Every structure is written in C-alpha cells, then in structure tokens.
Amino acid sequence: MNIIVERTDRVVTVRLNRPAARNALNTELLTELLATLQPLDDDPGVGCFVIAGTDQFFAAGADIREMAAKSAAELVVEDFFAGWEAFTALRTPTVAAVAGYALGGGCELAMMCDVVLAADTARFGQPEITLGVIPGIGGTQRLTRLVGKAKAMDLILTGRLMDAEEAERAGLVSRVVPADRLLAEAGAVARTVAGFGKVATTAACEAIDRALETSLREGVLFERRSFHSLFGTADQREGMQAFLDKRAPRFTGR
Ligand code: CO8
C-alpha cells in the first residue's frame, strides 16, 4: 500500500507512504486514495478527512518516473491526471497537514484540500518548469486564484520554493504550526469540523469553492439558496434550538 489509513471516531486520516519516492503521486497511490475515501464520502459517520505525508515530505509531486517516457498521445488518450478530479469532487471537508516538501503535484494536492495546515518546516513550490513542463494538476489555476497572478507567475516561472511563513502570508496556507504539533493540530481542526453537521460543513465548502469560480452576484445567490435549503435539515432545528435552550447541540448530519 502507498497510503496508511487511520480512523478515529469521525475523522479519517490518510498518510502518504512512498518514502523511497518522496511520496511522489503515482497512479497506484491515487487509486488507493480514491478507493479509501470515496466510499466514506457520503457516510454521515465520517465528518472530516486529513491528508498528511511524512515529517520531511508531504509529496514531491507527480511521479516523474511514471510519466517521463509517455507520449503526448498517450497522455491525451489516458487523460492523464484527470483522476485527480475525483479527489476534488469529494465533498467531505479535508484538511491537508503539510510538513516538508509539497512540490508540484504535492502543492497541487494541498491546494485541493479545504484547510491547509503547514508545519514551520513546510516548503511549497511548482518546479515543473525545471522539468520542461508546467503544472498539470491545477497548479496554474488554483495557485493563481489563491495567491494572485504576481506570486503565481514568480513561483511557476522560476520554480523557486516558498517557506511556510511566505505561504501563509500569500494565502496558500490556513495556519502555520510547530512541526512537532502538526498532526495534533490537524487532528484538532478535523475533530472540530467533524463535530458539526455534515450537511452544513459540506454546504460551506461548496459555497466557498463557488467564490473562486463565479461572479460575486452569482456566488452570493448560490450561498443564499444553500442557506435557505439548510432550513430543511434536522441539524438546523437542533443547532438553533440548542442555542435557545442554552445546551450543546447534537448534530446528526441529517
Ligand atoms: N517522482 C518520482 N520520483 C521522485 C520524485 C518525483 N516527483 N521526487 C523524488 N523522487 C525519487 C528520486 O527519483 C529518488 O529515487 P531513487 O532513490 O530511486 O533515485 C528518490 O525519490 C529520492 O530523491 P532525491 O535523492 O532527490 O531526494 P532528496 O531528499 O535529496 O530531495 C526533493 C527531495 C527535493 C523532493 C527532490 O527529490 C525533488 O526535487 N524532487 C522532484 C520535485 C519535482 O520536480 N516535482 C514536480 C514533479 S512534476 C508534477 O508534479 C506535475 C507535472 C505536470 C505534468 C503535466 C503532464 C500532463
């Protein structure tokens, strides 16, 4: 297996585990990741995913060895990398816990997650230009939306790496934490998210993602309709009644 999976109550943690290849993201790893997470995605008993690497490597990118000899025709026919669309289609909130290198596809994987926690050792970059190509799993699009054109151009054209502090300043990272606290902090964030109703957390993710893809007017309307629809859920009744009763809510994800 290229991943290690742990489940604690409502949180499922996947640790990428290809240390010899610096957690390079090959097709086998993606297949295992999807086979693990897709069946859990609509399980109301699972409220959050955590994706982590090792202490030194989140992921060193797409697997260069796997793709180096492929022809353009093969890439087109296989629609190489399209499989990652299935990862982005997962609706369960996902926390990336990034320590060490998150390069190329590794940086792109972090950007596909909803919350990105970085250890102070984290280093982000899109070095594909050094390989004679460009990012291929959404890097030119997501990085530009997250950090703006100026920094995206700088990073993608020079291939330079960004440390955790710069990544946080630029808006790529939600929080920076000491490396020895990374998994504990990611677990705490995941438990907090998983403690809320899954209908509401997935609706929040959908609405925030919509902000990157549409006009403000359309996005605000999308948000308002989503807000309206949540009044059809038991969790809305429970959450508001619990507030009025001055007690903790008991969400069921219904
Ligand atoms: N793919 C495959 N193998 C890798 C990768 C990778 N991305 N990164 C490291 N490895 C392998 C090395 O080949 C080496 O294998 P071996 O021991 O068999 O020779 C082993 O991991 C150790 O590598 P290093 O000796 O380099 O390890 P270091 O600890 O010294 O350095 C680094 C770690 C800094 C992460 C370094 O390995 C590195 O720079 N890796 C490559 C980073 C990179 O360029 N990533 C971008 C990949 S391309 C991509 O993600 C998207 C491409 C889009 C293409 C679009 C097509 C449609």
Side-chain angles (χ1 to χ4, degrees):
M1 286 290 279
N2 297 289
I3 57 175
I4 298 169
V5 183
E6 289 165 19
R7 178 163 177 180
T8 312
D9 194 18
R10 292 173 52 74
V11 174
V12 174
T13 301
V14 174
R15 299 207 63 172
L16 310 179
N17 185 39
R18 293 189 73 208
R22 307 303 189 241
N23 287 341
L25 304 167
N26 64 358
T27 304
E28 205 176 84
L29 186 151
L30 173 61
T31 304
E32 291 171 16
L33 191 62
L34 293 176
T36 301
L37 298 183
Q38 279 174 328
L40 300 172
D41 198 35
D42 58 3
D43 180 344
V46 175
C48 197
F49 299 145
V50 176
I51 309 290
T54 59
D55 292 347
Q56 289 177 299
F57 306 95
F58 179 68
D63 191 309
I64 298 166
R65 206 173 293 279
E66 180 180 59
M67 66 186 156
K70 286 185 187 286
S71 69
E74 281 174 300
L75 294 178
V76 171
V77 170
E78 293 172 28
D79 203 4
F80 197 63
F81 289 153
W84 287 99
E85 301 280 343
F87 180 82
T88 62
L90 294 170
R91 298 176 68 230
T92 303
T94 302
V95 177
V98 181
Y101 291 104
L103 304 183
C107 184
E108 290 166 312
L109 172 57
M111 291 191 288
M112 287 180 227
C113 296
D114 300 307
V115 177
V116 181
L117 257 58
D120 46 18
T121 58
R123 310 204 50 200
F124 297 86
Q126 299 285 165
E128 289 88 346
I129 206 77
T130 68
L131 302 170
V133 292
I134 65 170
I137 322 179
T140 61
Q141 303 305 299
R142 290 200 178 87
L143 190 65
T144 307
R145 282 166 167 78
L146 294 177
V147 307
K149 175 181 167 181
K151 205 168 271 285
M153 285 285 188
D154 174 9
L155 290 164
I156 291 171
L157 287 175
T158 68
R160 78 173 176 89
L161 307 191
M162 202 166 43
D163 66 17
E165 297 277 311
E166 184 182 359
E168 187 186 29
R169 276 200 310 277
L172 182 66
V173 157
S174 315
R175 306 181 199 172
V176 180
V177 301
D180 60 356
R181 298 278 315 143
L182 178 67
L183 287 181
E185 296 285 342
V189 171
R191 279 193 302 281
T192 300
V193 173
F196 299 123
K198 192 168 180 177
V199 197
T201 59
T202 54
C205 291
E206 274 177 8
I208 293 167
D209 284 341
R210 191 56 69 109
L212 299 178
E213 293 179 13
T214 193
S215 68
L216 178 61
R217 191 185 172 90
E218 288 298 320
V220 168
L221 178 61
F222 180 89
E223 176 197 81
R224 195 160 70 243
R225 293 289 176 251
S226 182
F227 178 84
H228 294 162
S229 74
L230 289 171
F231 281 67
T233 66
D235 282 347
Q236 175 271 329
R237 297 266 169 264
E238 168 64 8
M240 292 194 178
Q241 193 59 53
F243 176 82
L244 297 173
D245 295 347
K246 302 187 188 303
R247 62 174 172 80
R250 287 180 297 273
F251 293 119
T252 58
R254 302 284 179 205

